[in-house]
Amino acid sequence: QVWSTDDEGRTVAPIQTDEPIYGAHYLPRKFKIGIAHAADNSIDARTQDVGLVPVPVDGVVDGSLWDLWSGGGLGQSHNNPATAPLLGLYLGRIPRAQVVAAVRAIAILQKEKGERRDRKQARWKYTIRRVGVSEVKRLLRERFEIPLAEAEPQPLAAGRLFLGWHEAQDGSGFYGISVENGRIRPELRKGIRAAVEALGLRVRLTGHQDLLLCGVRDREALLRILDAHGVPRAEAVSPLRSYAMACPAKPTCGLAMTEAENVLPTWMDELEAAGLGDVAVEIRMTGCPNHCARPPSAEIGIFGYGKNDHVVLVGGSKRGDRIARTLYARIPGERMVEVLTGLLRTVKERAPAGVEPGDWLWEQDPAQLRGWVGIEDA
């Protein structure tokens, strides 16, 4: 509606009557494209329909070569085993000049071969597995003339937070502000506005729902402005809270079964009070299995089931290269703090130093983990 009305809200004709790739008939599901960086996979490239990751050439990321991943998507439907969160499959390596052509070709294949009768199966992640990766690669090479090279994919980097002060290549710097669940509340908005207007800064948003103030030439002046407006410094926000992420859920989203954004901060308060704020584990939460905040790829994932129950997942990774497994199939909201407290304390006391929490959780037997937590399935 925003794009099909004029400044006074009157409906105007669309620029094109037919979509240039799909034509007059859309497929009934989204098609997501994600571009990561070789040193920062905050967007979880493998969770996209098409994920692109630049390949360093002689140690330099110049954007001349790209790893092509395809067929990811995290949404599922409760009690429908034909749906599942899936990671993208590696197709090969392409030159920069063919990136747009490759993405367009994949969209065309989804248009032609995608499921149109069963909406639950209408995502590319199911189409590519039904058609077969080898057939998709053959079509890209032969029909669309994409020079798709066989290669060993480069390891994906972990997502980075970029909180606090960082030097930039032009001699300036940028300052990362933790924005809890991406919600820029009035007091934070006032501080950001004051800093931008006074210092002529640029604003960037991150894949972790945080905010970067860029082009900083006077670091002390920036900190004075932020302090005056009560904006917490990055070091004052616990690692646990910094990594946490939730979707809006109830009451904003009509698909949500439970709350997420409205309850996760209060859970963080209780976990920090229990002395667990220093556990740098990635917790992501959604109110339904559409997984907008990407819990299936998180180290600890939570999503709504029914009126006030939650599914708890463990074992994803900060690299976005693994789907977490179910630890608790259904836990009532009243017991979630108890579950998280036991889980985080287990990580803090048992995971070896230097090992990422998600990697350690993945290696543990779920029954043993539940025993350490002290809570069996509700």
Side-chain angles (χ1 to χ4, degrees), residues 55-308:
V55 179
V57 178
D58 297 328
V60 178
V61 181
D62 62 3
S64 61
L65 287 176
W66 294 78
D67 274 341
L68 178 63
W69 299 86
S70 193
L74 298 182
Q76 65 184 110
S77 298
H78 284 308
N79 304 317
N80 185 344
T83 66
L86 298 169
L87 292 179
L89 307 168
Y90 186 64
L91 296 184
R93 191 160 291 170
I94 56 176
R96 166 65 182 85
Q98 295 296 316
V99 164
V100 173
V103 175
R104 185 177 186 275
I106 293 171
I108 290 172
L109 291 177
Q110 170 65 344
K111 166 194 172 182
E112 296 175 350
K113 301 179 182 297
E115 173 61 51
R116 291 183 179 273
R117 292 167 297 181
D118 181 358
R119 189 173 184 275
K120 299 293 186 183
Q121 293 294 308
R123 286 294 299 270
W124 171 246
K125 64 178 179 177
Y126 301 122
T127 305
I128 191 174
R129 287 166 172 84
R130 175 166 44 79
V131 173
V133 174
S134 59
E135 175 65 7
V136 169
K137 291 166 71 170
R138 184 189 70 80
L139 290 169
L140 290 177
R141 291 185 177 118
E142 297 179 9
R143 175 181 166 187
F144 297 99
E145 300 180 343
I146 305 296
L148 188 66
E150 296 290 341
E152 193 67 30
Q154 62 175 331
L156 295 172
R160 298 168 63 184
L161 293 179
F162 294 106
L163 299 180
W165 178 257
H166 299 268
E167 301 290 338
Q169 292 179 341
D170 64 358
S172 68
F174 65 92
Y175 189 81
I177 297 174
S178 179
V179 182
E180 192 163 30
N181 301 320
R183 181 71 63 179
I184 301 180
R185 301 188 182 278
E187 59 275 15
L188 176 56
R189 185 183 300 114
K190 291 177 182 177
I192 294 168
R193 178 184 290 276
V196 168
E197 291 179 345
L199 303 176
L201 307 181
R202 303 184 307 277
V203 174
R204 297 289 183 270
L205 306 178
T206 80
H208 282 286
Q209 300 181 327
D210 295 322
L211 183 145
L212 309 181
L213 295 176
C214 305
V216 181
R217 299 288 176 178
D218 190 336
R219 177 180 176 183
E220 294 307 315
L222 171 64
L223 293 178
R224 284 195 299 269
I225 294 171
L226 296 180
D227 289 346
H229 286 82
V231 178
R233 296 199 180 187
E235 59 270 20
V237 183
S238 72
L240 179 66
R241 195 180 294 263
S242 296
Y243 275 109
M245 185 190 307
C247 75
K250 284 186 173 181
T252 304
C253 177
L255 299 176
M257 301 177 182
T258 63
E259 291 187 331
E261 180 189 355
N262 286 342
V263 296
L264 189 58
T266 64
W267 295 354
M268 291 292 115
D269 292 342
E270 296 190 53
L271 293 169
E272 289 171 342
L276 299 168
D278 61 339
V279 182
V281 63
E282 183 182 67
I283 298 177
R284 297 176 182 167
M285 182 178 183
T286 60
C288 79
N290 287 297
H291 299 319
C292 292
R294 297 173 281 158
S297 58
E299 294 179 305
I300 297 176
I302 307 165
F303 63 96
Y305 192 138
K307 187 175 181 180
N308 189 39

